[in-house]
Amino acid sequence: MSDTLISFEEDFAEGRYFQADLLWRAALKRAGELSRKHTASIGCRSLDVLHVASALELELKNFLTFDRRQQKLAAAAGIRPILLSR
């Protein structure tokens, strides 16, 4: 196993990450709403919209991303975006 996967497993065991249950029907409905409202102006892709919709359904306060369009969509949806640079 790679060092990265070992580190991830350790983080999971220490409680830094957790599995969240997502109601997919609600997330997909939210994604449709976000897409209709923001896709034309922001130009976000379908998976970007689904990620932000999932974060909204999980009631997350922060949204980490490497993608500027995702950052804009998260901000427009009311989630605090944290843009990471590559």
Side-chain angles (χ1 to χ4, degrees):
M1 190 180 312
S2 73
D3 289 341
T4 302
L5 287 177
I6 291 169
S7 178
F8 181 75
E9 290 293 330
E10 289 170 355
D11 286 341
F12 217 109
E14 293 292 323
R16 290 184 200 89
Y17 301 114
F18 65 94
Q19 278 186 295
D21 290 323
L22 178 65
L23 298 174
W24 282 104
R25 188 175 303 224
L28 291 171
K29 181 179 178 191
R30 179 84 66 127
E33 293 165 0
L34 286 173
S35 182
R36 282 187 292 282
K37 190 171 182 181
H38 299 291
T39 295
S41 61
I42 296 174
C44 35
R45 298 168 294 223
S46 58
L47 286 178
D48 295 333
V49 175
L50 187 55
H51 287 152
V52 172
S54 297
L56 286 168
E57 288 302 310
L58 292 170
E59 298 180 355
L60 301 179
K61 306 284 187 251
N62 299 310
F63 189 86
L64 293 150
T65 182
F66 290 101
D67 187 292
R68 293 221 180 262
R69 286 180 287 199
Q70 258 187 356
Q71 177 192 30
K72 288 179 184 178
L73 181 60
I79 302 173
R80 180 177 168 251
I82 300 170
L83 184 65
L84 302 173
S85 59
R86 291 184 195 194

